[in-house]
Amino acid sequence: MQKIPVTILTGYLGAGKTTLLNRILSEPHGRRFAVIVNEFGEIGIDGDLVVGADEEIFETNNGCICCTVRGDLIRIIQGLLKRRNAFDGILVETTGLADPGPVVQTFYMDDEIALRTRLDSVVTVVDAKHLLDGFAHNREAQEQAAFADLILVNKTDLVDSGRLAEVELRVRALNPFATIRRTERCGIALAEVLDRRAFDLDRILAEDPEFLDDHHGHHHEHEHHHDDDIQSLSLTVERPVDAERFDAWLRGVAQEKGPDLLRYKGIVAVGGGDWKIVVQGVHMLIDRGEPEPWRDGEKPWSRLVFIGRKLDGAALRDGFASCAA
Amino acid sequence: MRGVSGTPALFALDATPAGIAFDGKGERLAVGLGDGTVRIVPVRGPARGGDPLTVAAHDGAVLHLRADGDGFLSGGDDGRLLRVGRDGGAETLLHVPGRWIDALAVNGGAWAAATGKTVHGLGAPLDHPSTVGALAFDPAGGRLAVAHYGGVTVWPVGGGEPQRLEWKGSHIAVSWSPDGRFVVAAAQDNELHAWRIADGTAMQMAGYGTKTRSLSWGAGGKYLATSGADGVVLWSFAGDGPFGKPPMELGPERKVLVTAVACHPREALIAYGYRDGQVSLIGFDDRPPVDLLPADGEPVAGVAWSADGGWLAAAGEGGRVALWRRGGGLMERVKGWLRGA
Ligand SMILES: [Zn+2]
């Protein structure tokens, strides 16, 4: 069964995500999209198949606050799949205040949706002028950037280059694995937005040369920030790890800290260093690949990046190090 | 019908089936499709052998289809509920612009349909705390069960205070036992919840691999067959119901999830379809199933018996529809098999 790609578009109020949405819909790429929007009627959407959604967040029966899905999306996507011949992809526009977590988890936790769709990426539009202020005051603005695979720093024409550099540094510190692009009026080649396959385990490395680069993350945890601020943490072990011990440790971290972990990705060397395992996660959900040989040019290091709140750097670093074989 | 004994008549439709049903007399089979049409196949009676009728019913997709006397009710994502007659004529019963018909139930000429949190069809619209996932009239037609987040609300059709049956989680399918003593609802969390109406006692029926979407009562209402596991999960509702009794698992050996089940209206026989498209028949016992239709990679969307049990139909998400008739080799073979021959 052909899985239909899904792109999630997020962004704080006024950042320009509807501009991006209309750009995707109006450019001559020959593709047909079904669009799920939350802010019906605010700005016109140009597509043929546009469905309004009322955010309904459902807890699952484990009672955990982070193990939630969007019931409205499940229902709407199941309905849309009845006319699956009418479109090639699904675009989900969230509200400016939406937490992307339940949206992302819907595509993993609902078995029927996972069978028929493939989450391609989370694209977040941020406003270069208001981002620093937004990050300081809005939990959701940070969350949306933290969940992103692609971040458009939009409205670059409204700020000077010093401010822009500051904004990018802040975004990079919060999310070390997103691709960042500067845009005016969301002007970006659609090839960069669509078909990113950001949730494919085998694309984690290929798509992300910065991921194995050791420059990000470390400096940030020493900065002052509020308790509730999202931060990122990069961990490295320059020796192979024991696969079973690593699995057990990561599962334990996810179980214990799941609500505070937004996204994480890792590539670890196993089997004496000849093999690698790729993992990614959202809250308590862990997606782990099978062991496979390293590709040419890859450094056989064990590397893990967490994006989350209240990350205990020392405990996580010690825990990861204790997985060394 | 060119369908011959033992082998089904096969139709390849160019859209995704949302519902499949025989009319009350078993003269016509209808399939509601994602392209907004309802296709009506004459099965027997004067029109038998004629071409399937295509009714352009909805501006969008059919989401729900039910038999209603000698015709059908169809609910679409254009917010319309239609009655489609045997001649293909369509009459609008409800139109809520900008919404979808999210759930539909029919009973002896009465209907109820949900758009979002609201149920229409029982006098004044009835509102619920969350989007309605499913609707079911009790067999006597006096009560309507409304499944939603947090449980099921049971409304007296004639008006009055509802009974609230509570269980955490989102409920997506609901059914009454034929004796009206139990309500069973399927939840998003891969489990069922059953309530004894007399005292509201609830129980959890867990162990499924995916959501249960299909519930069918067999053997005069003594058993409930369910989809959502490898093989058919059959719960006994004889006596006090399934409280404290494990279910039977019929035909789990294929290790493929079952997506649709339909109990024969009289005999101890269940037709069911798998996620990979295979359709099979099994009894209420340990004998291996009879395979009716090979897998084609597309989940079975629905399986239905005609009211007299003489015809069986199945529809797959890829548009494959199969129709078998009794009296042919296959049904004879099944009857022989049932007798242990
Ligand atoms: Zn959780």
Side-chain angles (χ1 to χ4, degrees):
Chain A
M1 194 183 306
Q2 189 84 16
K3 292 192 178 193
I4 295 170
V6 179
T7 302
I8 298 170
L9 305 178
T10 74
Y12 208 64
L13 302 165
K17 67 181 179 316
T18 309
T19 307
L20 176 63
L21 179 58
N22 275 330
R23 211 173 252 272
I24 295 172
L25 294 175
S26 60
E27 287 195 9
H29 41 61
R31 293 198 220 188
R32 301 158 306 162
F33 291 100
V35 187
I36 302 172
V37 295
N38 260 281
E39 286 146 316
F40 225 179
E42 186 188 294
I43 304 178
I45 309 292
D46 303 332
D48 287 338
L49 193 49
V50 181
V51 187
D54 297 324
E55 189 174 69
E56 282 189 313
I57 295 178
F58 289 169
E59 282 177 26
T60 50
N61 61 359
N62 70 4
C64 174
I65 55 160
C66 76
C67 295
T68 51
V69 294
R70 284 277 298 271
D72 55 322
L73 281 182
I74 293 171
R75 190 168 36 81
I76 288 168
I77 289 170
Q78 268 153 1
L80 284 172
L81 288 168
K82 302 277 193 307
R83 30 173 160 169
R84 64 182 185 181
N85 299 333
F87 55 89
D88 314 299
I90 298 174
L91 304 173
V92 179
E93 185 200 34
T94 70
T95 67
L97 294 170
D99 172 2
V103 184
V104 171
Q105 293 189 140
T106 297
F107 295 91
Y108 283 91
M109 293 173 103
D110 189 285
D111 167 64
E112 294 175 344
I113 301 282
L115 181 72
R116 295 168 178 86
T117 64
R118 169 179 69 72
L119 183 54
D120 187 70
S121 72
V122 178
V123 178
T124 298
V125 185
V126 301
D127 178 336
K129 191 169 180 199
H130 295 113
L131 174 121
L132 296 176
D133 195 42
F135 272 18
H137 296 105
N138 301 100
R139 187 185 169 92
E140 299 85 4
Q142 287 191 23
E143 279 170 347
Q144 290 166 359
F147 270 101
D149 300 293
L150 170 65
I151 297 174
L152 304 191
V153 178
N154 196 34
K155 305 192 181 183
T156 52
D157 48 328
L158 301 183
V159 294
D160 60 29
S161 61
R163 181 73 163 187
L164 198 52
E166 198 183 346
V167 164
E168 284 188 348
L169 205 63
R170 184 76 178 90
V171 168
R172 176 56 74 204
L174 187 143
N175 186 333
F177 41 68
T179 301
I180 299 176
R181 290 284 179 269
R182 299 178 177 186
T183 58
E184 287 176 35
R185 285 174 289 283
C186 294
I188 184 170
L190 292 189
E192 288 209 66
V193 178
L194 305 172
D195 301 324
R196 296 191 66 85
R197 294 190 171 269
F199 287 85
D200 287 14
L201 286 172
D202 61 353
R203 291 288 288 262
I204 283 178
L205 189 58
E207 275 297 282
D208 198 0
E210 296 184 273
F211 184 63
L212 271 190
D213 175 358
D214 209 16
H215 292 112
H216 304 294
H218 289 306
H219 57 93
H220 183 66
E221 60 180 298
H222 303 297
E223 287 174 15
H224 168 78
H225 46 72
H226 303 289
D227 265 3
D228 213 29
D229 273 357
I230 294 170
Q231 59 196 120
S232 66
L233 183 67
S234 294
L235 306 176
T236 308
V237 174
E238 292 187 24
R239 281 167 38 211
V241 303
D242 180 89
E244 272 179 36
R245 232 182 304 146
F246 172 72
D247 277 345
W249 171 73
L250 187 62
R251 268 202 309 273
V253 170
Q255 275 305 311
E256 215 175 297
K257 305 286 181 198
D260 288 329
L261 297 179
L262 303 186
R263 280 186 78 171
Y264 40 104
K265 294 186 185 186
I267 302 167
V268 297
V270 296
D274 295 338
W275 298 77
K276 65 175 180 181
I277 290 174
V278 183
V279 293
Q280 63 176 330
V282 173
H283 292 309
M284 290 179 182
L285 287 177
I286 299 174
D287 180 19
R288 172 194 179 282
E290 292 303 312
E292 56 182 320
W294 291 94
R295 291 177 208 161
D296 287 346
E298 288 182 330
K299 281 185 201 161
W301 288 4
S302 296
R303 182 74 192 258
L304 199 52
V305 178
F306 290 102
I307 300 175
R309 294 189 172 87
K310 302 177 197 134
L311 299 178
D312 183 341
L316 288 169
R317 187 167 290 118
D318 288 352
F320 190 35
S322 73
C323 299
Chain B
M1 296 310 321
R2 281 179 297 276
V4 293
S5 304
T7 51
L10 285 172
F11 304 85
L13 304 178
D14 51 0
T16 301
I20 184 167
F22 288 93
D23 69 20
K25 295 178 176 171
E27 292 185 355
R28 287 170 172 78
L29 171 72
V31 188
L33 293 165
D35 65 359
T37 64
V38 175
R39 314 281 173 98
I40 300 178
V41 182
V43 169
R44 67 177 170 209
R48 178 183 169 184
D51 288 331
L53 195 64
T54 298
V55 182
H58 297 276
D59 179 20
V62 176
L63 297 176
H64 305 280
L65 181 88
R66 300 281 186 278
D68 177 39
D70 64 355
F72 303 92
L73 292 196
S74 168
D77 67 5
D78 57 355
R80 287 181 191 274
L81 175 66
L82 303 176
R83 184 171 200 284
V84 179
R86 52 187 296 133
D87 57 353
E91 170 200 357
T92 299
L93 302 178
L94 174 71
H95 184 206
V96 185
R99 303 310 301 247
W100 290 7
I101 302 296
D102 290 307
L104 175 61
V106 179
N107 186 288
W111 57 265
T115 58
K117 300 171 184 174
T118 307
V119 172
H120 311 265
L122 267 60
L126 300 169
D127 285 322
H128 300 85
S130 68
T131 299
V132 173
L135 297 167
F137 285 103
D138 75 336
R143 292 167 292 181
L144 178 73
V146 181
H148 47 71
Y149 191 67
V152 174
T153 300
V154 177
W155 294 94
V157 167
E161 284 304 303
Q163 182 180 5
R164 309 270 181 195
L165 306 172
E166 292 179 357
W167 200 294
K168 204 175 160 188
S170 167
H171 294 84
I172 55 163
V174 66
S175 184
W176 289 84
S177 62
D179 61 10
R181 291 195 302 141
F182 297 95
V183 165
V184 182
Q188 170 74 25
D189 301 303
N190 303 351
E191 62 185 35
L192 306 182
H193 304 135
W195 293 268
R196 192 159 55 206
I197 289 296
D199 57 6
T201 309
M203 80 163 284
Q204 182 181 32
M205 298 141 80
Y208 290 87
T210 187
K211 284 181 275 189
T212 296
R213 291 215 165 264
S214 184
L215 302 161
S216 177
W217 297 86
K222 287 204 278 293
Y223 289 98
L224 174 66
T226 58
S227 71
D230 292 348
V232 177
V233 176
L234 192 67
W235 298 88
S236 169
F237 277 76
D240 284 342
F243 297 85
K245 285 180 278 184
M248 278 185 269
E249 292 173 50
L250 304 175
E253 294 80 11
R254 271 194 88 221
K255 302 278 175 223
V256 177
L257 291 166
V258 168
T259 51
V261 295
C263 291
H264 190 277
R266 283 193 299 272
E267 293 165 27
L269 187 61
I270 305 164
Y272 64 102
Y274 290 95
R275 182 173 268 188
D276 66 1
Q278 179 170 313
V279 177
S280 301
L281 274 171
I282 197 163
F284 289 14
D285 54 34
D286 284 340
R287 273 172 299 168
V290 175
D291 298 335
L292 296 183
L293 193 65
D296 68 349
E298 295 280 356
V300 174
V303 180
W305 292 95
S306 61
D308 66 356
W311 294 80
L312 171 66
E317 286 186 16
R320 179 174 69 168
V321 174
L323 179 62
W324 294 265
R325 95 185 139 93
R326 176 163 230 141
L330 176 85
M331 290 297 182
E332 291 310 312
R333 200 146 57 79
V334 169
K335 277 165 71 183
W337 171 79
L338 279 172
R339 287 192 301 264

